[in-house]
Amino acid sequence: MLGHLRQCRANPLCTRRLFHDIRAYKADKRWPGWQVVIGIETHAQIKSRHKLFSDSLTSDLGEPPNRHVSLFDAAFPGTLPRLNQKSVDLALRTALALQCDIPSQSSFDRKHYFYSDLPAGYQITQQYAPLALNGRLTIDVPNIPSFAVRIKQVQLEQDTAKSTFDPRTRTASIDLNRAGTGLMEIVSEPDLRSPEEAGAYVRMLQAVLRAVGSSDGNMEQGSLRCDVNVSVNRIGRPPGTRCEIKNLNSVRFIMAAIIHEVTRQRAILDSASDLETVGVPQETRGFDEHRFETYKLRSKEDAPDYRYMPDPNLGVLRLTQDRISQLRGTLPELPWDTRKRLRGNYGLSERDVEVLLNVDSVREVKLDGEEVEGNSGAVAYFDRLCNEQGTNGRSRDPKVVVNWMTHELLGQLSARKQSFADNQISVQQMGELIDLVQSKVITGTSGKLLLRHMLANPSPLRTQQIAENLQLTALSPFFPSSTGARSTSPTSLQDTKPSPELYGLCLDAINALPSEAAAVKNGNKNVLNKIVGRVMKESRGRADAKSVKALVEELLSVNE
Amino acid sequence: MRVTRTWAKIQRNAPLHRKLSTESHQCRRVIAERNATVNAFVYTAEAVPTTNTAAPALPLSGRPIAIKDNICTKDMPTTCSSNMLKEFKPPYDATVVRLLRIAGADIIGKTNCDEFGMGSMNIHSVHGPVINPCHSTRSSPNSPRSAGGSSGGSAAAVGAGMCNAALATDTGGSTRLPASYCGVVGLKPSYGLISRWGVVSFADSLDCVGVMAANVADTRRVFDVLNVHDQKDPTASSPESRQEASKMNTARRRKWDIATGSRPSLNGLRIGIPQEYFPLELSPTILQPIRRTIASLRSLGATIVPVSLPSTSYALSAYYVLASAEASSNMARYDGVQYGLHVRPPPGADLTKTSDLYARSRSAGFGPEVQKRILLGTYALTADAFDNYFLQAQRVRQLVKDDFDRIFHLPDVTHVPASNVREDGVDILVHPSAIRTAPALSEQSGLDAYVQDVLTVPASLAGLPALSVPVPKALRVEETEEDDWPVGVSVVGQWGCDETVLRVGEVIEGLGEDVH
């Protein structure tokens, strides 16, 4: 009953830690001679079907207010919390991905304050014995040298309701839809040293949350919010007093807030005559999204005393090793492993990897960590294209596949203002399309045309069938061999004769452009392209330009 | 709704085919006659007749049962005797109320109590104080006595014959003390056995639903209906712990609970008498009947063992810190926004600070005792005081629990295996329920009100089953004594030993016949 209280010893208000810098100083030309120290507290909404302690469903943004509210959410007397174990599992997945230690026992505490967005007058959180401790997140992305951030802890807590105040009518409205939704608070150590690192950390964290399915990490919609602690100090001097900037909801704002805060804090320190005694006043600050500036919310003296108390209803959360091992064993692939695999196994370029990962960074995250059915993201789609055997019996070249995916498929989807999730072309269809082009059954141009058609007219038919229906099969520059099989390994023009259709198209073009033909005969090779162009146009892309050029040249020289 | 009006309506409207049990009928008549003076009920329900007389008898069929007004009922108000919830009508039944209804009980009404269960005289109530319904042939009829608190209404209702049984709550003695003052049986079961879902929290880690009735048999009947695991209560003890405790208990009881003819035998039962429960403040009118009770138990074959629970003296301070801290937290929800009293700010008031707005509703909604405890609890939880008060109190609580574990024969199966028995341990403890008989309402309750709690609080802190049984009249009154008001004796057992406690209570109940 009382065991977990032993961990209550630490006074919650006394959090000043000894500073031992794990990062080597690196000069920043924006603020020469200064060091910036940043730590971030991230609140990520758990993507669970139900709230953390009640049976109510969680809500999507834009749902009518007060639709998903149970008696407990509205803090009716006599109601009691019941911990949603699915939410615990999702938070544990996150903790495992962040390489945290997971104690066998954690507990819940009440944080008290009076505000209209908090019906019970307290928020249930994990102050004294959090779910997970001592993690680590390595940020290894292009354009920034790799660095690691220590994760102090991951704790479960309730989200608040939403209250809005209309100054005109002087009325406050309260929407309890969000009240009691599960949050993970992920607290970093002060290991970040620049606004860019802070941005990269948050993006990486987002990718991890999405990969393990614990949160959609959507900052715009408020399912990921950051409180950023910033301090500055002159090189060689102890770290400065930190200011906390509350509730930042985009990476851009995080970076802008840090830059403004560095400037502001430097100005305070610069103006001081005595280096020993001067300090930045400890404050909690907000961020003005229009002026791109931070502003004071409250000073240290006004800091509320939250009167943390162990929650007498929830007691101790015990986690068995079996449960943790099971979660560890079923952890989905993490972003850095995906990156490594795409680079190593397929030899993809940094840029291509980035494109695929970016596509997946906005894919849907299902409730309660459930797997997405079917088309589950660009990387999985790519994996299947590469690993499933092609229609010609050979495996596909990853570089060809990635080009088709990034340039053509993603390009055309974006031209249609669609996301990858809207893609209706199955892996089999896409694979066949690539195979048809690779084996020159259709030309690259026809392939693109075919892709556009398939996106506009989703069909369960095989790609080859669709291509034939559209008469997109390539005009072979060769006669079919005597057996009737399509030649897939062209040798030289001298050995074979062009197909009658292409032959006809070329003759038509020469006849239609007599003066150009004459010019070519007279040695003006530049004009040749005009005749080739006409053939290409008439063939609707089914002809291969190089073959056409050779054929036209041959025809003109034969005529000579 | 006024009680008298309800009664008139029932009589007027009751069609002939609607049959009320004789007891329901009788109780409603007593309510109509006496509630105006006793003030036990704050709401009386219209009679729900048994529609099908051919239906199989349910455990509580036709039994009128009263519910303390801090337990939620969907068809009646639940005021907690507070101005804050004066108009509050919950849209739900507490699990215990639901279970009673399923068992066929006639939920007869809601009983008065101290505001949110805070108090021991039942004088801190927006409905006014409860008057002890007991009569004395010797003391002055002009000075009405307290029914005790906080469940004074439930105790008085049972004592006056207004119901067959009543649900109470017990955080630090709120069931046992009024039971003792009103001469009824009051059981505070082991913590976690009875669901708290729908019971308005005062201090969650201590709150228990209590059962009161005129005798142990009726108490047990209600307890058995309520003693089931409820998923909605996160502090409900597991079905495994319940089973384990029950098995262990039954086995142990076989050693002594052998009825030989009409006279019970207690050979083999070891009864501990804790020395700390006989403080200086204990009135002689209590001491003598308790001594006689113990002597009678010995004469039935029980072994009487003096024991010491050395942490008892610290228990009271620990209790007030913990209970107040939890209360300050639990009372935070009463802000007048979602439900309850809302005091509109006067025109021109500053609307920018939410806490200022809440303060108006909370100042008007809470009575002085509740405000006092909120302030005490708030202080105990502040960052500066937390270590010295709250954590220190938690440690004392553990010491109190350890004290009990050291003297009981059976272990607490929620923490240790059932095999961890102490051969020289006792089966139960017996001690006075109160330091005195019911005080007059006119008496100023000073620090005495708190000293009283010394006898009841330790079992609450340790989560143990505790039963107050009236000392039979034959053991109570010497012809020369002037105070013949009821005296309660408490029986306390190890966690999960509720049936053993009830069994011993039953023996005590019958002691009178033995002596005379």
Side-chain angles (χ1 to χ4, degrees):
Chain A
M1 180 176 10
L2 305 173
H4 66 286
L5 281 169
R6 267 179 238 124
Q7 292 161 74
C8 298
R9 288 289 319 169
N11 185 327
L13 290 187
C14 181
T15 51
R16 198 176 169 83
R17 54 180 84 81
L18 289 173
F19 195 79
H20 166 70
D21 204 344
I22 61 154
R23 303 283 309 275
Y25 171 72
K26 227 170 62 226
D28 189 321
K29 58 174 179 271
R30 286 170 292 187
W31 32 79
W34 292 86
Q35 173 166 257
V36 178
V37 177
I38 304 159
I40 299 183
E41 288 170 26
T42 309
H43 293 90
Q45 234 173 45
I46 300 174
K47 190 82 179 180
S48 60
R49 190 163 278 119
H50 299 282
K51 294 184 180 181
L52 189 54
F53 297 112
S54 78
D55 286 340
S56 338
L57 296 174
T58 52
S59 308
D60 289 330
L61 218 64
E63 285 199 68
N66 297 311
R67 170 157 295 189
H68 302 304
V69 185
S70 70
L71 293 167
F72 175 79
D73 304 329
F76 266 63
T79 57
L80 296 168
R82 216 184 131 199
L83 180 60
N84 172 356
Q85 294 294 340
K86 289 223 164 114
S87 298
V88 176
D89 281 348
L90 289 176
L92 287 172
R93 279 197 203 183
T94 308
L96 289 169
L98 296 174
Q99 302 172 48
C100 290
D101 298 335
I102 298 173
S104 60
Q105 294 192 2
S106 64
S107 59
F108 293 92
D109 308 292
R110 295 178 179 181
K111 172 182 178 175
H112 299 88
Y113 62 94
F114 286 113
Y115 198 64
S116 50
D117 64 9
L118 197 63
Y122 57 81
Q123 175 198 35
I124 303 177
T125 177
Q126 296 193 294
Q127 169 74 11
Y128 296 120
L131 188 76
L133 297 155
N134 308 327
R136 188 181 184 82
L137 180 62
T138 303
I139 291 96
D140 192 0
V141 293
N143 308 326
I144 286 190
S146 161
F147 64 100
V149 176
R150 290 168 302 160
I151 304 297
K152 185 165 182 259
Q153 64 188 58
V154 177
Q155 68 195 49
L156 284 166
E157 60 187 36
Q158 295 173 300
D159 208 341
T160 56
K162 261 185 194 151
S163 62
T164 42
F165 186 71
D166 184 341
R168 197 178 50 82
T169 57
R170 286 161 59 87
T171 40
S173 303
I174 299 164
D175 175 8
L176 295 178
N177 276 351
R178 202 179 66 181
T181 299
L183 289 180
M184 294 172 278
E185 181 173 328
I186 302 162
V187 185
S188 89
E189 295 286 1
D191 291 351
L192 299 154
R193 293 292 176 270
S194 71
E196 292 70 30
E197 285 191 357
Y201 165 76
V202 173
R203 285 211 178 91
M204 187 48 125
L205 199 53
Q206 259 178 323
V208 170
L209 297 175
R210 300 179 56 83
V212 300
S214 61
S215 172
D216 60 26
N218 192 325
M219 296 192 86
E220 268 169 41
Q221 294 180 5
S223 44
L224 190 85
R225 282 118 56 192
C226 293
D227 299 341
V228 179
N229 286 285
V230 183
S231 74
V232 302
N233 60 277
R234 286 191 177 83
I235 307 307
R237 297 196 63 81
T241 310
R242 68 193 160 91
C243 285
E244 183 180 27
I245 313 153
K246 283 276 186 198
N247 238 344
L248 294 163
N249 59 4
S250 87
V251 169
R252 199 161 65 99
F253 293 158
I254 289 174
M255 292 169 58
I258 294 169
I259 290 171
H260 180 262
E261 209 34 37
V262 171
T263 314
R264 187 185 72 84
Q265 293 185 19
R266 270 178 63 203
I268 294 173
L269 297 175
D270 271 337
S271 66
S273 49
D274 181 4
L275 282 182
E276 294 305 322
T277 57
V278 75
V280 172
Q282 188 176 335
E283 282 172 358
T284 301
R285 300 180 68 84
F287 181 70
D288 184 324
E289 295 172 9
H290 304 291
R291 300 161 59 103
F292 263 53
E293 287 176 357
T294 67
Y295 60 90
K296 180 176 165 176
L297 285 173
R298 57 174 181 257
S299 67
K300 189 188 175 189
E301 289 69 33
D302 306 330
D305 184 339
Y306 291 121
R307 310 189 310 279
Y308 288 98
M309 179 185 94
D311 186 284
N313 290 316
L314 290 159
V316 174
L317 168 62
R318 290 189 172 79
L319 300 170
T320 61
Q321 272 313 308
D322 280 356
R323 181 172 176 182
I324 295 166
S325 312
Q326 205 267 337
L327 287 167
R328 199 189 297 275
T330 54
L331 208 59
E333 187 175 52
L334 296 166
W336 44 88
D337 292 326
T338 309
R339 186 180 295 274
K340 211 162 121 190
R341 191 168 57 79
L342 292 176
R343 298 271 285 146
N345 294 10
Y346 299 118
L348 298 192
S349 70
E350 193 78 71
R351 199 193 136 276
D352 286 337
V353 170
E354 211 54 28
V355 172
L356 292 179
L357 290 177
N358 279 343
V359 170
D360 280 358
S361 74
V362 292
R363 77 162 195 251
E364 188 194 2
V365 176
K366 290 279 187 185
L367 291 164
D368 287 342
E370 284 159 8
E371 303 269 341
V372 188
E373 282 169 37
N375 167 10
S376 66
V379 172
Y381 195 86
F382 171 78
D383 277 331
R384 287 181 60 197
L385 279 176
C386 291
N387 298 337
E388 286 173 14
Q389 207 172 50
T391 39
N392 55 11
R394 281 181 291 173
S395 60
R396 301 182 181 112
D397 180 351
K399 283 175 188 140
V400 173
V401 171
V402 84
N403 279 337
W404 271 98
M405 269 193 74
T406 56
H407 296 146
E408 305 311 327
L409 182 57
L410 294 175
Q412 293 202 23
L413 279 169
S414 108
R416 297 173 58 83
K417 302 205 169 12
Q418 287 181 315
S419 75
F420 186 72
D422 302 319
N423 172 31
Q424 302 236 30
I425 300 178
S426 71
V427 170
Q428 285 72 20
Q429 289 175 319
M430 189 67 205
E432 205 180 329
L433 192 154
I434 296 171
D435 295 339
L436 288 173
V437 175
Q438 284 303 99
S439 55
K440 295 204 173 1
V441 175
I442 60 174
T443 63
T445 314
S446 296
K448 292 170 196 175
L449 197 70
L450 183 56
L451 186 64
R452 186 177 308 147
H453 174 84
M454 287 166 77
L455 284 172
N457 309 282
S459 152
L461 290 178
R462 294 190 51 181
T463 311
Q464 171 136 19
Q465 187 64 53
I466 300 170
E468 279 166 14
N469 292 351
L470 294 172
Q471 299 184 321
L472 283 174
T473 333
L475 296 171
S476 167
F478 320 110
F479 282 120
S481 71
S482 51
T483 58
R486 201 177 277 110
S487 165
T488 52
S489 50
T491 45
S492 80
L493 278 172
Q494 279 72 31
D495 301 336
T496 52
K497 291 187 169 179
S499 72
E501 200 184 349
L502 187 60
Y503 196 79
L505 283 174
C506 291
L507 284 178
D508 288 352
I510 292 166
N511 291 336
L513 301 164
S515 54
E516 283 81 359
V520 173
K521 281 185 187 172
N522 291 336
N524 189 348
K525 294 278 178 186
N526 288 342
V527 184
L528 183 63
N529 286 338
K530 198 164 176 190
I531 302 171
V532 173
R534 187 180 173 96
V535 176
M536 294 304 290
K537 194 181 162 203
E538 292 299 314
S539 78
R540 292 179 297 119
R542 289 175 301 155
D544 173 59
K546 230 158 116 187
S547 320
V548 170
K549 194 175 173 188
L551 188 54
V552 171
E553 262 184 328
E554 195 178 298
L555 284 168
L556 288 173
S557 63
V558 166
N559 284 355
E560 202 172 8
Chain B
M1 194 180 298
R2 291 305 299 240
V3 169
T4 43
R5 254 184 38 214
T6 314
W7 174 242
K9 205 169 156 194
I10 292 162
Q11 287 183 315
R12 206 170 48 243
N13 295 350
L16 285 173
H17 68 273
R18 290 181 154 192
K19 283 192 174 172
L20 277 180
S21 74
T22 328
E23 198 176 1
S24 280
H25 220 79
Q26 171 67 19
C27 287
R28 280 180 166 80
R29 189 158 52 232
V30 179
I31 294 171
E33 283 166 9
R34 295 193 61 193
N35 196 58
T37 43
V38 176
N39 199 22
F41 279 87
V42 296
Y43 181 90
T44 316
E46 292 195 28
V48 181
T50 47
T51 44
N52 187 359
T53 46
L58 295 163
L60 301 175
S61 281
R63 288 177 187 269
I65 295 181
I67 310 291
K68 188 178 178 181
D69 209 25
N70 61 351
I71 300 176
C72 290
T73 41
K74 67 175 173 218
D75 50 358
M76 307 174 206
T78 299
T79 69
C80 298
S81 291
S82 179
N83 199 25
M84 184 60 91
L85 293 180
K86 213 170 170 190
E87 310 296 329
F88 181 62
K89 219 172 158 177
Y92 47 99
D93 269 342
T95 298
V96 285
V97 174
R98 190 174 56 82
L99 289 170
L100 290 180
R101 290 191 206 272
I102 292 170
D106 167 18
I107 307 296
I108 190 167
K110 304 298 288 285
T111 53
N112 204 343
C113 58
D114 278 307
E115 188 175 2
F116 286 104
M118 298 176 204
S120 49
M121 295 268 281
N122 212 135
I123 50 175
H124 304 293
S125 165
V126 76
H127 307 290
V130 178
I131 311 295
N132 195 316
C134 297
H135 295 286
S136 167
T137 46
R138 293 166 209 174
S139 58
S140 158
N142 292 332
S143 58
R145 297 234 186 171
S146 164
S150 67
S151 314
S154 293
V158 171
M162 296 170 174
C163 55
N164 173 268
L167 294 194
T169 60
D170 192 314
T171 305
S174 283
T175 294
R176 292 158 282 161
L177 182 67
S180 176
Y181 285 174
C182 293
V184 303
V185 174
L187 169 69
K188 178 203 95 73
S190 302
Y191 182 84
L193 288 188
I194 300 189
S195 168
R196 287 190 298 114
W197 200 90
V199 178
V200 179
S201 296
F202 158 12
D204 301 85
S205 76
L206 297 154
D207 292 345
C208 289
V209 173
V211 181
M212 289 175 168
N215 54 62
V216 174
D218 286 347
T219 305
R220 179 191 283 120
R221 192 176 293 110
V222 174
F223 171 68
D224 285 349
V225 165
L226 305 181
N227 183 15
V228 288
H229 180 259
D230 179 16
Q231 287 208 355
K232 286 159 119 181
D233 180 354
T235 58
S237 44
S238 69
E240 296 77 44
S241 294
R242 289 161 192 265
Q243 231 170 26
E244 181 98 358
S246 161
K247 218 171 75 191
M248 173 183 84
N249 252 287
T250 312
R252 176 70 185 166
R253 258 197 324 276
R254 280 202 202 100
K255 297 231 189 295
W256 56 266
D257 191 4
I258 313 152
T260 48
S262 62
R263 194 182 150 93
S265 158
L266 299 180
N267 280 324
L269 176 71
R270 292 171 62 81
I271 298 178
I273 310 296
Q275 61 180 59
E276 291 82 4
Y277 287 61
F278 294 80
L280 281 176
E281 292 89 348
L282 193 68
S283 146
T285 52
I286 298 286
L287 189 58
Q288 293 312 318
I290 298 294
R291 279 194 171 148
R292 281 178 218 125
T293 304
I294 295 168
S296 300
L297 290 169
R298 194 206 316 259
S299 73
L300 290 177
T303 310
I304 305 299
V305 186
V307 295
S308 171
L309 298 162
S311 303
T312 304
S313 54
Y314 309 109
L316 194 61
S317 348
Y319 167 80
Y320 272 98
V321 169
L322 296 175
S324 304
E326 289 187 35
S328 78
S329 172
N330 286 326
M331 295 298 119
R333 68 188 57 211
Y334 303 105
D335 53 27
V337 176
Q338 321 290 344
Y339 50 80
L341 179 77
H342 176 69
V343 176
R344 289 200 159 277
D350 177 17
L351 298 179
T352 53
K353 279 189 94 176
T354 317
S355 47
D356 288 352
L357 291 176
Y358 288 2
R360 291 174 206 280
S361 298
R362 290 168 65 80
S363 301
F366 292 134
E369 182 67 19
V370 171
Q371 292 196 8
K372 191 158 79 181
R373 300 207 197 191
I374 290 176
L375 291 176
L376 176 61
T378 301
Y379 173 69
L381 291 177
T382 52
D384 290 341
F386 187 77
D387 267 29
N388 281 337
Y389 287 82
F390 190 86
L391 286 187
Q392 194 66 12
Q394 289 281 30
R395 286 181 206 110
V396 170
R397 184 175 189 175
Q398 188 60 55
L399 293 177
V400 169
K401 177 87 180 93
D402 294 345
D403 271 3
F404 283 112
D405 285 340
R406 249 194 310 274
I407 56 140
F408 278 126
H409 173 77
L410 295 176
D412 176 352
V413 289
T414 59
H415 287 84
V416 293
S419 54
N420 278 22
V421 294
R422 274 173 200 279
E423 283 313 325
D424 59 343
V426 299
D427 292 288
I428 49 139
L429 297 172
V430 168
H431 62 78
S433 300
I435 55 166
R436 53 167 300 173
T437 57
L441 279 169
S442 56
E443 282 180 52
Q444 285 297 313
S445 64
L447 214 53
D448 262 14
Y450 298 109
V451 173
Q452 162 56 46
D453 297 333
V454 170
L455 305 185
T456 49
V457 152
S460 294
L461 288 172
L464 305 180
L467 177 79
S468 178
V469 191
V471 173
K473 207 162 182 179
L475 300 183
R476 204 170 76 206
V477 188
E478 295 272 292
E479 291 305 316
T480 53
E481 282 172 28
E482 64 171 58
D483 184 350
D484 65 347
W485 282 75
V487 172
V489 57
S490 278
V491 183
V492 177
Q494 178 57 285
W495 187 91
C497 296
D498 301 61
E499 179 50 36
T500 300
V501 164
L502 286 167
R503 187 71 200 97
V504 172
E506 224 158 21
V507 172
I508 293 175
E509 216 170 31
L511 287 179
E513 293 133 39
D514 259 70
V515 173
H516 294 267

